[in-house]
């Protein structure tokens, strides 16, 4: 095993694992860490259980929720495919614009599906 010269080996007392740069970023990092530690108890409120009177959700309820999510995902995937096929004979800039709009609509469709699934099926007591 090859030994490193003494100038490269750090002194045991001088080893620091400080990744924040000096200056205002260091203060900002410490403030963000303090804020995260202060908000830690609030995370337990997000995981509290529903009251017992609501009970378990049925299998049909979950099947409907997953079906809605899958329909939005498939609709989102179909939008760019339809845009590409419908703009085959068009000019380059017009075709690119339609495909870009279809990709944005696909992302919007996916976000809407996830939102509906989360609000109406997951976060419901």
């Amino acid at each position: 095993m090859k030994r490193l010269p003494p100038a490269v080996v750090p002194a045991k007392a001088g080893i620091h694992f400080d990744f924040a740069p000096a200056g205002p970023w260091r203060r900002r990092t410490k403030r963000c860490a303090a804020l995260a530690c202060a908000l830690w108890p609030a995370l337990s409120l997000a995981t509290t259980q529903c009251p017992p009177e609501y009970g378990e959700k049925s299998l049909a309820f979950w099947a409907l929720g997953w079906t809605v999510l899958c329909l939005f995902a498939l609709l989102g995937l179909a939008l760019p495919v339809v845009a590409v096929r419908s703009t085959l004979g068009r000019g380059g800039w017009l075709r690119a614009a339609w495909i870009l709009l279809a990709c944005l609509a696909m992302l919007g469709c996916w976000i809407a599906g996830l939102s509906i699934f989360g609000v109406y099926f997951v976060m419901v007591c």
Side-chain angles (χ1 to χ4, degrees):
M1 183 167 158
K2 191 175 182 182
R3 295 192 68 153
L4 294 174
V8 179
V9 178
K12 288 186 179 178
I15 296 175
H16 296 155
F17 294 103
D18 193 10
F19 299 108
W25 290 103
R26 181 180 298 240
R27 287 189 299 272
R28 198 170 295 145
T29 302
K30 287 181 180 180
R31 287 179 189 156
C32 289
L35 180 66
C37 289
L39 292 177
W40 185 262
L43 293 176
S44 64
L45 293 176
T47 59
T48 56
Q49 294 181 350
C50 294
E53 61 265 12
Y54 286 101
E56 291 290 320
K57 296 175 184 75
S58 68
L59 185 62
F61 178 81
W62 284 113
L64 178 65
W66 284 106
T67 303
V68 166
L69 183 64
C70 290
L71 284 175
F72 273 92
L74 290 176
L75 178 66
L77 285 174
L79 287 172
V81 173
V82 169
V84 167
R85 289 185 180 176
S86 65
T87 59
L88 279 176
R90 311 245 184 211
W93 287 106
L94 184 63
R95 185 172 190 212
W98 273 106
I99 293 172
L100 179 66
L101 286 174
C103 288
L104 290 174
M106 173 186 68
L107 290 175
C109 192
W110 286 352
I111 290 170
L114 282 173
S115 298
I116 290 171
F117 181 72
V119 170
Y120 293 107
F121 292 100
V122 175
M123 302 283 192
V124 175
C125 276

